[in-house]
Amino acid sequence: MPTMTSRRFLQLLGFAAASLMLSACGKKEEPPPAPAPVASAPAPAPVKVYAVGTDAAYAPFESQNDKGEIVGFDIEVVKAIAKKAGIEVKFVNTPWEGIFNTLAQGDRDLVVSAVTITEERKQTMDFSDPYFDAQQLIAVKTNSKIAKFADLKKLKVGVQTGTTGDEAVTKLQGKTSANIKRFESTPLALKELEAGGVDAVVADNGVVINYVANNPGGKFKSIADKEFVPEQYGIALKKGNAELQAKVNKALAEIKADGSYDAIYTKYFGAPPAKAAAAPASAASK
Ligand code: ARG
């Protein structure tokens, strides 16, 4: 083993001393310790943020803007409800297929997605009071000869899987019809119409009107038919979540009463909703 010279030893000693000093300096530069918590200030309770599922490919009800933010009529209605109810919400883009399972599983607290309240759905989930009146509408190419829903009996029709549009066309053509083309989103069904793969698309009126209006060149038109039953949208909740349902319903009534609902409606649809229910039956049928 080679012996260490005293010079080398002193050198090492120097290093050691220097690094000691450095670390001492380092200690001094550390920020002062945080002040001890004041015993009387309780830690703020974590705020519950309600997760709201939405299939954000359904303009003008829910869609994603250029920045990837989820926007639309439904979104603004739920934000206004949340504000009134004093609750926090965050919107989560959720595929339509399986969207209701997320409620049962507890992954979402609410689903706002232009969801029609139906007897069948009510078996497995709860709904808020209705917040929007809707109806199915047919989208076709401008030069199409289709004039009414019954004309679709033997034609190729695009729908979004599991929607009320799907239900209506399935009823017309029969469960085993090979002419019903089902898509995971309504925009995909409409793309297929554009490409000529289907003769028509049946979807909610608001979405079809929005699509026809936003398609440059006027390549599409919409066809209404009284055969379609009136629909109403509700906010879906896990079955039995009566506490949240009550909060939502109370806040919904409040935003309808104070004009904020009408303001959102007007922003998206040009005019406040027609007060059809207030009119006598004879006048309403004219
Ligand atoms: N109103 C229809 C239904 O409840 C279609 C809703 C589809 N919504 C959506 N965001 N894709 O079946």
Side-chain angles (χ1 to χ4, degrees), residues 4-48:
M4 205 187 275
T5 62
S6 54
R7 197 161 139 239
R8 176 78 184 128
F9 178 72
L10 282 174
Q11 239 176 27
L12 283 176
L13 202 70
F15 276 130
S19 57
L20 250 176
M21 274 164 65
L22 269 176
S23 66
C25 285
K27 278 226 175 74
K28 256 183 218 138
E29 279 163 19
E30 266 176 21
V38 183
S40 63
V47 182
K48 159 101 179 136

Side-chain angles (χ1 to χ4, degrees), residues 55 58 62 96 113-116 121 160 163-164 204 233:
D55 169 27
Y58 215 63
E62 44 267 337
W96 176 256
S113 209
V115 180
T116 301
R121 287 176 183 161
Q160 182 176 12
T163 57
T164 45
D204 293 4
Y233 296 164

Side-chain angles (χ1 to χ4, degrees), residues 8-246:
R8 176 78 184 128
F9 178 72
L10 282 174
Q11 239 176 27
L12 283 176
L13 202 70
F15 276 130
S19 57
L20 250 176
M21 274 164 65
L22 269 176
S23 66
C25 285
K27 278 226 175 74
K28 256 183 218 138
E29 279 163 19
E30 266 176 21
V38 183
S40 63
V47 182
K48 159 101 179 136
V49 179
Y50 291 89
V52 186
T54 186
D55 169 27
Y58 215 63
F61 297 98
E62 44 267 337
S63 60
Q64 271 183 299
N65 67 15
D66 307 339
K67 292 182 214 147
E69 298 158 338
I70 300 176
V71 295
F73 174 81
D74 281 356
I75 309 308
E76 292 199 32
V77 167
V78 169
K79 280 184 178 167
I81 286 173
K83 206 172 150 198
K84 281 275 185 227
I87 61 171
E88 297 259 350
V89 289
K90 67 157 192 259
F91 295 90
V92 190
N93 201 356
T94 309
W96 176 256
E97 205 165 352
I99 200 167
F100 300 127
N101 290 339
T102 66
L103 289 172
Q105 287 156 359
D107 293 336
R108 308 282 185 272
D109 300 290
L110 297 168
V111 164
V112 72
S113 209
V115 180
T116 301
I117 304 170
T118 68
E119 284 309 315
E120 197 190 339
R121 287 176 183 161
K122 277 205 244 165
Q123 308 300 309
T124 52
M125 68 195 85
D126 285 340
F127 283 99
S128 71
D129 292 331
Y131 69 90
F132 192 86
D133 292 330
Q135 194 147 25
Q136 295 305 301
L137 195 60
I138 306 162
V140 294
K141 290 247 177 93
T142 315
N143 58 7
S144 168
K145 298 219 158 49
I146 295 166
K148 56 186 188 304
F149 184 48
D151 294 345
L152 303 184
K153 180 116 179 110
K154 299 231 145 42
L155 298 178
K156 284 198 180 114
V157 185
V159 294
Q160 182 176 12
T161 310
T163 57
T164 45
D166 184 356
E167 266 172 46
V169 178
T170 302
K171 210 173 146 197
L172 177 75
Q173 296 200 350
K175 274 203 175 74
T176 54
S177 170
N179 279 332
I180 306 172
K181 307 291 173 203
R182 296 186 172 88
F183 296 87
E184 71 185 52
S185 78
T186 296
L188 283 176
L190 291 163
K191 276 230 165 64
E192 192 66 9
L193 175 65
E194 187 160 10
V198 292
D199 303 299
V201 165
V202 175
D204 293 4
N205 52 351
V207 172
V208 169
I209 289 166
N210 184 74
Y211 176 75
V212 171
N214 287 316
N215 254 278
K219 285 180 284 183
F220 306 97
K221 63 181 180 185
S222 60
I223 300 163
D225 194 317
K226 293 213 178 66
E227 284 292 304
F228 293 122
V229 293
E231 300 181 29
Q232 288 188 306
Y233 296 164
I235 300 164
L237 307 99
K238 181 180 186 162
K239 200 154 188 55
N241 193 352
E243 194 192 332
L244 185 56
Q245 186 188 35

